Amino acid sequence: MRFCFILEERYERKPMPLVIADQLKQWGHDIDILQPYTAVTSLNNLSLTTYDAYVLKTVSDGPGLTILEAAEAVGIPTINNSRAIRLVRDKAVASAYAHAIGLPVPHTFFVGHPRVLAQVPHPFYPMVIKPSNGTSLQDIHLVRAPEDLALLTLDEHTHYLATRYIENTGYDIKLYVTGQEVHAVAKSSPLHGKIEEQEIEISREMLKLARLVGKAFGLDLYGVDVLETPNGLVLVDINDFPSFYGVPRKVAAISEYILHAAYRFRRKRERQDLRASQPRKSLARQAATIVPAELMRDSPAVKRVHMY
């Protein structure tokens, strides 16, 4: 099979997604790397290259997303699809959509300019402030009272979200979905102290929430950030194609899923006897039910290796 990985500048020297491309290449598949920031891309030839799928790990508003949408427009399947990526990239849109479909998200305000943060009603303090187009650890602020707003240094050209802070265990839980498996990893919170980051057991509530997010947003490879609170899990972020830090055998699992998705689309196309000139349908999202991944520390195979 033949795949095109759209590599944006930010990920040029990072493992993901190049390790996936390398794994597929080792398995005998043809891989092309498209770098939209180093060369012009012929939009007339996207369909002529006969790729089995395009794969993109993007930054907010990155140029790769435009190419991904162009590939979809001419009938080439993509992982993830562009609509799903856009839906989760703007955190304001993702929060509104998640609340509308009944997912457990905290009360959130959209802030068009930092000066209007003072208009957030006092009963919603303490609150967490973060950019609406994605975050880094340095961009997240916990504000316990209105007078603390004066201590913040915020970018006047950035839109922000003000989210009601909910008491929790003091660490984040990342649910990583590698196509058909879901892993849970406990990670340090940017608002609390450091913890030992490790894979943890998947609860029924975690599995249910991961399934609902994937189905509702149309994602294949994704991460879900949740908090454990006295009232159950709370969803605080969704990421398309995260880095999957802490997930065992992530490279093989993700590579296998990309292959399965591409083969599934090819079989569907063959059954329908589509001609090359006809428009092709995109990949079906979440075609298979995701299941909890086995914890490595509980694996009999791993235990046997440690014994010797």
Side-chain angles (χ1 to χ4, degrees):
M1 304 193 84
R2 191 178 183 199
F3 299 95
C4 180
F5 280 71
I6 304 173
L7 183 64
E8 294 193 343
E9 190 170 11
R10 177 175 173 179
Y11 301 109
E12 185 177 14
R13 290 179 172 84
K14 294 190 176 182
M16 194 68 71
L18 288 178
V19 289
I20 306 301
D22 185 62
Q23 179 66 82
L24 290 169
K25 189 174 182 179
Q26 290 182 35
W27 288 346
H29 301 280
D30 294 326
I31 304 296
D32 286 340
I33 303 296
L34 192 162
Q35 297 176 302
Y37 54 90
T38 62
V40 295
T41 302
S42 174
L43 300 178
N44 290 30
N45 292 332
L46 287 173
S47 61
L48 299 180
T49 55
T50 60
Y51 288 118
D52 289 285
Y54 275 79
V55 182
L56 168 67
K57 178 175 169 61
T58 182
V59 295
S60 296
D61 300 321
L65 190 53
T66 296
I67 297 175
L68 196 78
E69 289 176 318
E72 289 178 353
V74 300
I76 302 174
T78 62
I79 300 172
N80 293 292
N81 68 41
S82 60
R83 179 185 178 276
I85 293 173
R86 289 201 180 276
L87 197 55
V88 300
R89 278 286 156 164
D90 190 319
K91 304 305 180 181
V93 176
S95 178
Y97 183 65
H99 178 266
I101 60 177
L103 295 177
V105 292
H107 197 117
T108 301
F109 296 89
F110 177 76
V111 181
H113 191 280
R115 64 172 174 265
V116 301
L117 277 168
Q119 298 179 21
V120 175
H122 288 200
F124 289 95
Y125 284 83
M127 63 181 181
V128 178
I129 299 173
K130 57 186 179 180
S132 65
N133 64 344
T135 61
S136 65
L137 296 182
Q138 293 76 23
D139 295 324
I140 303 176
H141 308 276
L142 176 59
V143 181
R144 296 195 175 276
E147 53 268 24
D148 295 336
L149 290 173
L151 303 176
L152 298 181
T153 301
L154 301 176
D155 185 357
E156 293 188 354
H157 302 289
T158 298
H159 303 150
Y160 287 89
L161 300 182
T163 300
R164 189 171 192 174
Y165 175 78
I166 300 176
E167 293 295 335
N168 57 82
T169 56
Y171 59 87
D172 295 347
I173 298 175
K174 308 277 189 177
L175 303 178
Y176 291 123
V177 179
T178 58
Q180 293 176 302
E181 288 185 341
V182 55
H183 300 256
V185 179
K187 294 203 171 188
S188 300
S189 165
L191 305 178
H192 300 282
K194 294 282 187 179
I195 67 164
E196 181 184 354
E197 299 186 354
Q198 59 181 330
E199 190 180 16
I200 61 176
E201 190 170 354
I202 299 284
S203 68
R204 288 185 178 181
E205 189 179 8
M206 292 177 192
L207 181 61
K208 180 180 178 181
L209 184 56
R211 286 172 174 170
L212 289 174
V213 169
K215 182 177 181 181
F217 284 82
L219 291 162
D220 290 310
L221 304 171
Y222 58 101
V224 182
D225 293 8
V226 300
L227 301 174
E228 282 189 318
T229 77
N231 296 317
L233 293 181
V234 172
L235 171 64
V236 293
D237 199 9
I238 305 169
N239 296 288
D240 63 281
F241 211 140
S243 297
F244 297 95
Y245 290 125
V247 175
R249 67 177 302 273
K250 60 186 176 185
V251 174
I254 296 170
S255 301
E256 289 168 358
Y257 182 77
I258 291 174
L259 278 178
H260 292 164
Y263 276 122
R264 186 172 68 244
F265 177 82
R266 178 184 284 184
R267 289 196 300 269
K268 181 178 179 181
R269 183 175 57 194
E270 291 172 349
R271 285 197 302 267
Q272 295 176 345
D273 194 26
L274 292 177
R275 296 175 307 202
S277 59
Q278 291 178 324
R280 305 170 187 171
K281 295 183 179 180
S282 297
L283 280 172
R285 324 316 293 181
Q286 289 290 307
T289 301
I290 62 173
V291 298
E294 181 184 23
L295 284 177
M296 293 299 289
R297 66 170 181 263
D298 296 335
S299 170
V302 173
K303 291 180 178 179
R304 285 197 299 272
V305 170
H306 288 308
M307 288 176 61
Y308 299 100

